[in-house]
Amino acid sequence: MPDREDITDLRLLRFDAMAVLTHEKGLPELIHVVHLLPYGKENQIEVISSNFYSLRFNFKEFINNLEAEMDRARAIDVNDPREKAILISVSTAPKYILEEHMEELEELAKSADVLVIDKIIQRVKRVNPKYLLGEGKLRELIIKAMDMGATLLVFDQNLTPSQIRAITDMTELKVIDRSQLILDIFARRAHTRDGKVQVELAQLRYMLPRLTGKGTAMSRLAGGIGGRGPGETKLEIDRRRIKERIHHLENELEKLTLARLERKKRRKELSIPIVSIIGYTNAGKSTLLNALTKSSVFVEDKMFATLDTSSRRLKFPEEKELIITDTVGFIRDLPEDLVAAFKATLEELEDASLLIHLVDISNPQFENHIDSVNKILKDLGLERKPVILVFNKIDKIPFFEVKQICSRYNAIGISAKDRKTLIPLIDEIKNRLWEEVTCNAPL
């Protein structure tokens, strides 16, 4: 009979079936054919035992019927072209924090057009340095993922290069972490040359230390005579080309930064104040920009729906005007490489006369979002900038809660979709800018 190790191999290696033949005095006697059962069945396997000489088994027909039954049991459309992912969070943090982070990871996955088929949260006393979770648990997870038809494992925790190697050595499924997921979203949403260069730079910096001998075939990023050194391995060539590409992108980003500085210089010469809208991703920044300036910046109810900075003019009846900019959304634990790549974009906040910190009041984690944005502002050295705290989406929660929260934070409540609610914000912007002009005016 097949033993436990045989069954594990059957499931992990995805064999169609496995047969164990017993013999008596060198002659075949019994044959035991074991195969997997569709996901959700009480028993994971079925064993068909028979005398070797009387076995009648149409293997092809049997496997075709079994695979069709497995597809039905998975309850997912096998023709759906999207990646089918299991989200995983393993940490020593309290369970409620893990659940909050998992909700955000699911939103990120949806923004990346990934179909989430399961979520696994595991609170551990100690994180396994090699696999993040125990080797046995990881094997069970991989088997479950394959049973459910998953094509992708997404970890909420950032994986080290050695952890990625260890996990991918155990499975042929794609394995990524939260940073890679965010980078993928940014790559999809960047449309300007500036944004595309910054995203590619961040991706290459992230990829470089994680290059391994497995699955690292890359398109040629450089060429010409002498492009290949004697005795170089494919891995070394890939690393060298990535470094060359990074150097090229850094030079291009420097040129784009100079062009951006020229534009800022011209704005300063015109003495037009700048108001920048900042906030956690999906707080409604682009919707607010559209409402204030009657423009049509792309808006979607997804994380990082808009990535490129947008600027619009806002004119007041008193012959005054200002420029309003919409920045990329902030998020907790933003990948370091991405912060570095987008620092040039976020440096535009230095020239802002005023920041509008927009917060989604309907999100249960809004307090953590405020803290995350404030931390990034501090990292950029912008914590002393004048800020108006604005709670958006007040139409989604009861009025008395809005009043209480706004009072506690000394903030303004609005619904960016209802222009009537923006009047107090517009008045506050005018008052703050007038105060700043007065304070900075020569005596």
Side-chain angles (χ1 to χ4, degrees):
M1 286 286 286
D3 59 20
R4 186 173 181 177
E5 191 174 335
D6 291 331
I7 302 303
T8 300
D9 288 342
L10 177 71
R11 302 187 70 201
L12 200 58
L13 300 175
R14 311 309 289 171
F15 292 143
D16 289 325
M18 182 182 291
V20 176
L21 181 65
T22 61
H23 62 88
E24 181 71 27
K25 295 181 181 180
L27 295 173
E29 187 180 31
L30 294 176
I31 185 167
H32 308 279
V33 179
V34 58
H35 65 86
L36 301 178
L37 287 174
Y39 179 73
K41 295 279 187 180
E42 186 175 348
N43 296 318
Q44 299 171 338
I45 60 162
E46 182 179 54
V47 181
I48 302 169
S49 299
S50 171
N51 181 279
F52 176 75
Y53 297 101
S54 61
L55 178 67
R56 297 293 179 266
F57 190 68
N58 188 326
F59 180 79
K60 186 176 181 181
E61 182 182 348
F62 173 79
I63 290 301
N64 286 339
N65 291 337
L66 181 62
E67 287 183 346
E69 190 179 349
M70 284 181 167
D71 287 340
R72 288 194 297 271
R74 284 169 182 155
I76 58 173
D77 184 1
V78 293
N79 296 316
D80 192 329
R82 292 179 295 174
E83 293 277 13
K84 298 158 186 73
I86 291 183
L87 310 184
I88 307 147
S89 181
V90 183
S91 175
T92 57
K95 190 175 180 181
Y96 76 92
I97 291 179
L98 292 178
E99 289 173 347
E100 291 169 4
H101 289 181
M102 181 58 79
E103 287 178 14
E104 184 175 272
L105 186 65
E106 186 174 13
E107 286 298 315
L108 286 169
K110 289 176 181 176
S111 291
D113 202 26
V114 170
L115 177 64
V116 177
I117 60 175
D118 199 11
K119 297 176 286 185
I120 294 173
I121 294 176
Q122 189 162 53
R123 187 168 180 265
V124 294
K125 291 182 179 178
R126 187 176 67 87
V127 173
N128 187 303
K130 185 175 182 181
Y131 296 109
L132 207 65
L133 65 167
E135 185 176 354
K137 287 285 185 184
L138 180 60
R139 285 184 185 277
E140 288 177 15
L141 189 155
I142 291 169
I143 290 169
K144 181 180 181 180
M146 292 189 292
D147 285 346
M148 297 182 72
T151 59
L152 178 68
L153 300 179
V154 184
F155 286 82
D156 185 51
Q157 289 70 32
N158 286 332
L159 301 173
T160 64
S162 61
Q163 285 171 338
I164 290 177
R165 281 195 295 271
I167 296 170
T168 52
D169 282 345
M170 198 179 287
T171 177
E172 292 300 318
L173 295 174
K174 296 178 187 176
V175 179
I176 66 171
D177 58 21
R178 181 174 177 273
S179 291
Q180 284 173 285
L181 185 62
I182 292 173
L183 286 168
D184 182 78
I185 296 169
F186 274 52
R188 288 166 178 258
R189 303 292 165 82
H191 298 296
T192 65
R193 182 60 189 158
D194 209 336
K196 288 178 180 178
V197 168
Q198 289 165 338
V199 171
E200 186 183 351
L201 187 58
Q203 286 180 314
L204 292 175
R205 282 174 174 164
Y206 185 86
M207 185 193 304
L208 187 59
R210 289 166 174 80
L211 274 181
T212 65
K214 179 180 179 182
T216 55
M218 295 177 61
S219 300
R220 293 196 63 163
L221 298 175
I225 297 172
R228 184 187 296 258
E232 282 187 307
T233 65
K234 181 70 171 68
L235 191 58
E236 288 166 343
I237 293 168
D238 286 345
R239 284 199 181 104
R240 180 166 52 78
R241 286 180 180 150
I242 287 180
K243 288 177 181 177
E244 290 170 356
R245 182 63 178 168
I246 286 174
H247 181 68
H248 171 76
L249 291 171
E250 285 174 339
N251 289 337
E252 189 166 350
L253 192 59
E254 196 173 325
K255 293 175 185 175
L256 292 168
T257 301
L258 290 173
R260 203 162 42 241
L261 289 172
E262 281 296 318
R263 291 196 297 271
K264 289 196 292 185
K265 185 180 176 183
R266 287 197 295 271
R267 285 202 299 260
K268 278 188 174 181
E269 288 172 353
L270 294 171
S271 299
I272 301 175
I274 299 170
V275 176
S276 290
I277 306 171
I278 61 170
Y280 210 78
T281 180
N282 207 27
K285 297 182 295 298
S286 298
T287 304
L288 178 59
L289 178 70
N290 287 339
L292 287 171
T293 61
K294 296 182 180 178
S295 51
S296 55
V297 173
F298 176 74
V299 172
E300 191 176 7
D301 187 19
K302 283 184 178 179
M303 288 183 146
F304 301 114
T306 48
L307 186 62
D308 302 306
T309 302
S310 301
S311 298
R312 298 290 186 274
R313 288 199 179 200
L314 176 61
K315 294 187 177 182
F316 293 99
E318 300 89 350
E319 297 299 321
K320 294 179 181 178
E321 64 178 1
L322 56 86
I323 292 174
I324 294 188
T325 62
D326 166 27
T327 59
V328 62
F330 294 4
I331 194 168
R332 67 170 178 88
D333 304 327
L334 195 66
E336 287 183 19
D337 294 319
L338 201 51
V339 172
F342 271 80
K343 200 168 183 181
T345 301
L346 297 174
E347 277 174 359
E348 288 201 348
L349 299 177
E350 291 180 3
D351 296 316
S353 307
L354 182 65
L355 302 179
I356 297 175
H357 181 175
L358 197 65
V359 182
D360 178 0
I361 198 171
S362 67
N363 191 307
Q365 307 306 319
F366 76 81
E367 291 179 333
N368 293 333
H369 294 176
I370 292 173
D371 292 339
S372 296
V373 171
N374 288 338
K375 182 180 181 300
I376 294 174
L377 288 177
K378 188 175 181 180
D379 292 342
L380 294 169
L382 301 170
E383 68 271 23
R384 294 187 179 180
K385 279 279 180 185
V387 177
I388 301 175
L389 187 62
V390 179
F391 284 106
N392 188 25
K393 306 183 185 181
I394 59 172
D395 52 309
K396 292 189 175 183
I397 68 170
F399 176 73
F400 73 90
E401 285 187 34
V402 173
K403 193 173 180 181
Q404 188 181 51
I405 293 170
C406 287
S407 176
R408 192 199 326 161
Y409 284 91
N410 191 26
I412 297 171
I414 66 163
S415 170
K417 292 182 177 179
D418 183 0
R419 299 188 77 245
K420 295 176 184 175
T421 66
L422 304 183
I423 296 172
L425 173 59
I426 293 171
D427 290 340
E428 183 66 14
I429 291 171
K430 287 195 291 186
N431 291 338
R432 290 287 194 97
L433 289 176
W434 180 82
E435 283 175 9
E436 184 169 324
V437 170
T438 303
C439 292
N440 294 334
L443 297 174

